[in-house]
Amino acid sequence: MTEERLMDKIIDVCLRRGFISQTAEIYGGAGGFYEYGPLGTLMRQKIIDLWRQSFVLDEDRVFEIKGSVLMPESVFQASGHLDSFDDPLVQCEKCKSMFKADELIKKITGKTAEGLPLDDLDELIKENQIACPNCQGGLSKARQFNLMFKTEIGSTGGINGYLRPETAQNIFINFKRLAAFMRNKLPFGIAQTGPSFRNEISPRNFIIRVREFEQMEIEMFYDPEKENEHPRFDEVADLEINIVTREMQEKGWEKPMQVSAGVAVAEGVIPNQYLAYYLAMEAEMMRALGIPDTEFWFRHMQDHEAPHYSIGNFDLEANLSIGHMEIVGNALRTDYDLMKHAKASKSSFEIVVDNKKIVPHVAEPSLGVDRILYTVLEKCFREDERGWTWFQFPTIVAPLEVAVYPLMKKDGLAELAYEIHSELKDAGYLSFYDESGKIGKRYARADEIGIPYCITIDYETKDKYTVTMRDRDSMKQIRIPTEDLEVVLGELMEGESEFDEFSEINKE
Ligand code: GAP
């Protein structure tokens, strides 16, 4: 399978089966905007739920907020986004196509050029004789292009507003009230999930680089003098994480180093426990989503690659068919944002710790829902000798968990199947009912969208009160009493039992 084709195959299933499609498709689409259909929406929700459970609800001192998506210019003036949230743009002098200069250089030369000054980018373009990939025309000099979407607030266009480029700023500007809610004690975390917007120069690669995307962020506030006293670090200290250090990048790396979170902090590979805690948590989340350890790592970004607010980023990158891609940004934002907003708003964001006034520091895990979802799609995509394509989703992210089929519509089988489907829904399973087409075709359709289990209702269900359960991954089938269905499904989905533990009756 060639690399490009893998993304195309996934796009094809996504369009046909209600996962994802382009915004305003009937009018020719809008570059960088996508809509999630019924199955895509269910998957997104599951990814958000998984994050919310482990990063927010399971924590003692982390709470979630919901801030405004559109904010006045003053916020982004202070945060530095107006001045610094830019990408380098080059334009074809002939066909007028626009390109992100560093991306174009990387595509042509394979060299990373992110964060380089404009002059260096111009030099690289010249040195490598890079022309417009569309028409071979010459390219303009690189210039900075601000990524924020601007609008006006009020009927008379009173003040400028911007769509937020990250969810984080709501948290910083509300710091005083949030800190008061947390009784002005450190550490504490404020989480937020919601849409962010960036007017990307060249949105590409399906949902990987888009202009509207969903982030799940936490701003974790801590005392910098206690950066290695994270209250729950012991719980993750032994978890293994894959890391690519700056030194490894300079020498050229083939494989990340594997190290426990505890050792990584002790040996100074990761700067502090607050950041390391989140790297370990993210690695666990990726594993739960079915992404093998070999397929992702945390790369210590070079100084010039880090965003304007960060003194160091450890970004989670995935090995995708389109190349290595940042899926999660992990930043040490220090007191950068709080100091900027304190100064601009003439407020004080100090907290008293051990009789000292301090401005807390911030560790920030910033997870992108869309990129995580695409990574899951790609890593779970399967093709087999039957000529079927299917998704091997873990149940935790499968958009539908069980399909219920009557073998035939007649003789009351449809009614009985529908009753069982309704009971499963009442019990909280994401159940899908389908009565049309040959049973083999229905299995293929269920596999294609990654439904882990199919239940078939036949004449024996009527006579002997048993159903057939089919396992997507092994294609094995078992016969179980109808009354055991919910318990068996529950055990399988929770990973408490393996399908093979139940008696096998036949294979397809
Ligand atoms: N608050 C920090 C922040 O926004 P970032 O590294 O710029 O950090 C975090 O973004 C995550 O948001 C990325 O790792 C990615 O998953 C997602 N993201 C950023 N820009 C995106 C885009 N244009 N399309 C899709 N996802 C994007």
Side-chain angles (χ1 to χ4, degrees):
M1 188 190 302
T2 63
E3 305 299 13
E4 278 308 319
R5 282 182 52 216
L6 177 54
M7 183 175 261
D8 289 343
K9 286 176 186 182
I10 289 170
I11 293 174
D12 177 57
V13 184
C14 285
L15 287 172
R16 282 189 297 102
R17 299 303 310 275
F19 285 88
I20 303 164
S21 61
Q22 227 194 336
T23 299
E25 194 180 12
I26 60 166
Y27 294 109
F33 291 92
Y34 284 89
E35 317 236 317
Y36 285 79
L39 297 185
T41 302
L42 286 163
M43 280 185 84
R44 275 167 76 88
Q45 199 51 52
K46 281 193 158 186
I47 291 170
I48 294 169
D49 288 348
L50 184 62
W51 167 83
R52 180 171 285 130
Q53 191 60 51
S54 58
F55 284 72
V56 184
L57 300 176
D58 287 349
E59 297 282 356
D60 268 344
R61 289 184 57 78
V62 180
F63 287 86
E64 194 175 340
I65 64 159
K66 193 226 153 281
S68 291
V69 163
L70 180 63
M71 284 185 275
E73 187 167 63
S74 46
V75 174
F76 302 109
Q77 188 89 58
S79 68
H81 283 86
L82 265 184
D83 291 336
S84 310
F85 203 62
D86 301 325
D87 269 347
L89 178 149
V90 284
Q91 187 168 24
C92 171
E93 280 161 349
K94 203 160 134 202
C95 73
K96 306 295 173 207
S97 302
M98 313 264 201
F99 304 96
K100 193 167 174 271
D102 53 336
E103 232 169 45
L104 188 60
I105 292 168
K106 179 147 192 226
K107 196 169 161 198
I108 308 284
T109 68
K111 286 184 203 144
T112 306
E114 199 176 340
L116 291 182
L118 295 179
D119 287 348
D120 292 7
L121 296 172
D122 288 337
E123 199 50 46
L124 280 169
I125 288 175
K126 202 166 143 202
E127 238 172 54
N128 292 284
Q129 297 177 349
I130 300 174
C132 168
N134 298 337
C135 74
Q136 297 308 309
L139 296 173
S140 69
K141 280 196 175 302
R143 67 177 167 89
Q144 295 294 9
F145 174 77
N146 192 278
L147 296 182
M148 282 194 299
F149 282 101
K150 188 175 180 181
T151 186
E152 286 180 351
I153 301 175
S155 54
T156 53
I159 54 168
N160 291 332
Y162 291 85
L163 290 174
R164 65 182 180 198
E166 56 168 358
T167 66
Q169 291 306 320
N170 301 98
I171 298 170
F172 297 126
I173 58 178
N174 280 308
F175 179 75
K176 264 183 128 161
R177 291 196 184 282
L178 294 166
F181 171 76
M182 301 305 298
R183 312 287 302 269
N184 288 308
K185 288 209 168 62
L186 296 176
F188 70 86
I190 300 295
Q192 188 173 197
T193 176
S196 292
F197 301 81
R198 296 182 192 175
N199 196 6
E200 296 285 354
I201 295 168
S202 45
R204 57 206 284 262
N205 288 329
F206 193 36
I207 52 169
I208 288 287
R209 187 175 297 285
V210 283
R211 290 180 165 135
E212 175 181 347
F213 51 96
E214 176 106 3
Q215 291 185 313
M216 303 180 288
E217 299 198 305
I218 297 179
E219 308 310 315
M220 188 70 195
F221 298 98
Y222 60 90
D223 176 353
E225 286 187 8
K226 297 182 183 169
E227 63 176 3
N228 286 327
E229 293 174 35
H230 186 290
R232 296 186 66 187
F233 191 70
D234 282 357
E235 293 172 44
V236 304
D238 291 335
L239 293 178
E240 297 283 319
I241 41 186
N242 292 330
I243 296 194
V244 178
T245 62
R246 284 182 175 167
E247 203 184 2
M248 287 166 73
Q249 291 166 63
E250 276 148 25
K251 287 187 183 151
W253 61 282
E254 274 174 18
K255 236 170 73 185
M257 67 189 263
Q258 202 180 39
V259 64
S260 71
V263 170
V265 175
E267 294 187 353
V269 176
I270 302 175
N272 72 35
Q273 287 188 357
Y274 280 90
L275 199 65
Y277 182 77
Y278 282 124
L279 305 197
M281 296 270 287
E282 288 160 19
E284 285 291 274
M285 179 166 164
M286 294 300 134
R287 290 174 193 129
L289 288 170
I291 302 164
D293 255 289
T294 48
E295 300 300 298
F296 70 92
W297 53 82
F298 296 91
R299 185 169 71 82
H300 191 183
M301 291 177 90
Q302 302 291 353
D303 250 344
H304 64 268
E305 293 177 289
H308 66 273
Y309 47 72
S310 172
I311 58 157
N313 261 55
F314 276 78
D315 288 355
L316 190 162
E317 293 184 339
N319 179 29
L320 296 181
S321 60
I322 49 164
H324 297 172
M325 188 52 62
E326 176 202 326
I327 306 298
V328 179
N330 291 293
L332 276 181
R333 294 183 83 128
T334 64
D335 57 2
Y336 174 89
D337 301 87
L338 291 184
M339 294 297 269
K340 289 273 182 192
H341 286 299
K343 189 166 174 226
S345 65
K346 299 189 178 50
S347 324
S348 164
F349 287 165
E350 288 172 331
I351 282 193
V352 178
V353 178
D354 301 334
N355 299 318
K356 263 188 334 205
K357 281 186 179 172
I358 65 156
V359 175
H361 278 212
V362 171
E364 178 201 59
S366 174
L367 293 80
V369 177
D370 309 80
R371 289 190 188 174
I372 292 175
L373 196 150
Y374 181 77
T375 307
V376 172
L377 290 172
E378 198 173 296
K379 296 301 167 196
C380 295
F381 187 77
R382 305 282 178 267
E383 284 181 295
D384 63 28
E385 62 287 351
R386 294 171 297 179
W388 296 14
T389 73
W390 54 289
F391 286 113
Q392 194 172 13
F393 295 135
T395 46
I396 206 160
V397 72
L400 295 167
E401 292 159 353
V402 54
V404 182
Y405 302 145
L407 188 62
M408 293 193 251
K409 284 189 221 170
K410 58 185 185 177
D411 300 328
L413 294 185
E415 288 76 6
L416 187 53
Y418 195 79
E419 203 180 302
I420 290 174
H421 156 73
S422 301
E423 281 169 12
L424 289 174
K425 279 185 78 111
D426 287 347
Y429 293 106
L430 288 165
S431 176
F432 173 73
Y433 175 80
D434 187 9
E435 57 182 31
S436 45
K438 292 205 170 104
I439 196 76
K441 275 250 167 72
R442 279 182 270 168
Y443 287 153
R445 284 178 63 76
D447 286 1
E448 190 180 37
I449 56 173
I451 303 180
Y453 304 105
C454 293
I455 311 295
T456 304
I457 279 55
D458 56 18
Y459 290 98
E460 276 191 48
T461 314
K462 280 179 86 176
D463 302 339
K464 297 189 182 156
Y465 309 106
T466 60
V467 295
T468 301
M469 182 187 258
R470 175 183 177 275
D471 175 46
R472 174 198 65 199
D473 296 355
S474 64
M475 297 175 280
K476 287 178 182 167
Q477 298 187 14
I478 52 174
R479 191 111 208 150
I480 55 169
T482 315
E483 62 179 4
D484 292 349
L485 188 52
E486 277 177 33
V487 175
V488 171
L489 257 183
E491 284 183 19
L492 290 169
M493 288 185 35
E494 292 298 322
E496 289 162 7
S497 303
E498 294 285 322
F499 198 81
D500 277 346
E501 289 169 30
F502 302 98
S503 66
E504 179 187 339
I505 54 164
N506 61 317
K507 229 180 162 210
E508 270 182 338

